[in-house]
Amino acid sequence: QYVRNSGQDYIIVTDKSRIYLLDRRGNVRANPKIQFEPSKNNIFAYQPGNSNRSGRLVRTDSKGTVYYIYFDGKVEERKIMDCTEDHYFAVEDVTGDRINDFIFVDENKLSVFGLTGNKIFQHEFDSKIKHAPAFYCFSSTEKYIGITESERSKIYLIDGKGNIAEGFPLTGKTRFSIGFLESGSG
């Protein structure tokens, strides 16, 4: 992956047990103080710095522990829930409050937590979810999560409170897109 933080470029490379923060020439730019096995289905989320903290990367390990990696090498970890190695993880604002949330999809469950680890909602499906969640933004406060339940040929659109959108589930086996076919058509 590539990110730019405080005017510096970072190429992020992982293998089964290490994370490398490199410059554009492949030289080590920062060494994370703690190494972990990165989750295989996920990538790093970049969070730019603000007045309270510097920029950082966020990712889970193979068991679902959340790690914050700062560009000076500092690492923080937060255990929110136990996951299988096949889990999906994302950092998105799904509640529409302009604060990112942690989204976990593991086995047949969608779980959404606030940054402090408080559970916002959980939804259980009838079969295992085999696709990463998708995220849809209809306005600054109206956000949805798209879930595909392939084995049952159902697609779901779930709002930031955990409710299934009107008209869903629909028939489908793959991730889906939402858009307008022509301007003003609804």
Side-chain angles (χ1 to χ4, degrees), residues 49-54:
N50 58 34
S51 59
N52 298 322
R53 62 161 174 75
S54 56

Side-chain angles (χ1 to χ4, degrees), residues 1-5 8-12 44-46 57 71:
Q1 286 180 253
Y2 165 82
V3 296
R4 188 165 178 81
N5 182 69
Q8 292 189 318
D9 297 319
Y10 290 84
I11 306 295
I12 305 153
F44 286 96
Y46 170 66
L57 300 167
F71 294 96

Side-chain angles (χ1 to χ4, degrees), residues 92-107:
E92 295 279 341
D93 172 19
V94 295
T95 57
D97 61 2
R98 298 172 202 235
I99 299 170
N100 283 332
D101 305 300
F102 292 143
I103 298 91
F104 291 87
V105 174
D106 192 31
E107 297 286 314

Side-chain angles (χ1 to χ4, degrees), residues 68 78-81 102 112-120:
Y68 297 105
R78 170 173 274 151
K79 185 70 171 171
I80 294 179
M81 66 178 283
F102 292 143
V112 177
F113 295 86
L115 289 181
T116 59
N118 57 313
K119 187 184 288 184
I120 297 170

Side-chain angles (χ1 to χ4, degrees), residues 161-177:
K161 295 179 181 166
N163 302 312
I164 297 173
E166 186 177 333
F168 284 82
L170 295 171
T171 301
K173 287 189 170 215
T174 62
R175 293 183 74 194
F176 55 95
S177 296

Side-chain angles (χ1 to χ4, degrees), residues 77-90:
E77 63 182 275
R78 170 173 274 151
K79 185 70 171 171
I80 294 179
M81 66 178 283
D82 291 319
C83 294
T84 67
E85 67 178 16
D86 293 325
H87 75 277
Y88 296 99
F89 171 75

Side-chain angles (χ1 to χ4, degrees), residues 9-152:
D9 297 319
Y10 290 84
I11 306 295
I12 305 153
V13 179
T14 64
D15 59 24
K16 188 153 176 72
S17 61
R18 288 191 56 85
I19 295 130
Y20 304 89
L21 302 177
L22 310 173
D23 65 17
R24 285 193 267 171
R25 291 189 173 98
N27 300 311
V28 174
R29 180 158 283 196
N31 278 314
K33 306 263 188 272
I34 299 172
Q35 291 289 340
F36 58 91
E37 181 180 346
S39 52
K40 66 181 181 182
N41 290 333
N42 304 297
I43 62 173
F44 286 96
Y46 170 66
Q47 294 182 321
N50 58 34
S51 59
N52 298 322
R53 62 161 174 75
S54 56
R56 62 188 180 183
L57 300 167
V58 184
R59 187 163 176 177
T60 54
D61 70 5
S62 61
K63 295 180 180 167
T65 300
V66 176
Y67 285 86
Y68 297 105
I69 301 173
Y70 293 86
F71 294 96
D72 63 359
K74 178 180 157 191
V75 178
E76 297 173 354
E77 63 182 275
R78 170 173 274 151
K79 185 70 171 171
I80 294 179
M81 66 178 283
D82 291 319
C83 294
T84 67
E85 67 178 16
D86 293 325
H87 75 277
Y88 296 99
F89 171 75
V91 180
E92 295 279 341
D93 172 19
V94 295
T95 57
D97 61 2
R98 298 172 202 235
I99 299 170
N100 283 332
D101 305 300
F102 292 143
I103 298 91
F104 291 87
V105 174
D106 192 31
E107 297 286 314
N108 66 331
K109 291 180 186 156
L110 163 68
S111 304
V112 177
F113 295 86
L115 289 181
T116 59
N118 57 313
K119 187 184 288 184
I120 297 170
F121 69 84
Q122 183 169 311
H123 190 87
E124 198 165 325
F125 300 91
D126 292 330
S127 63
K128 184 177 179 178
I129 306 303
K130 298 178 181 175
H131 298 281
F135 300 96
Y136 305 99
C137 179
F138 295 107
S139 72
S140 64
T141 58
E142 194 176 10
K143 316 254 175 139
Y144 289 84
I145 304 169
I147 296 290
T148 303
E149 195 178 11
S150 298
E151 289 179 21
R152 297 191 62 232

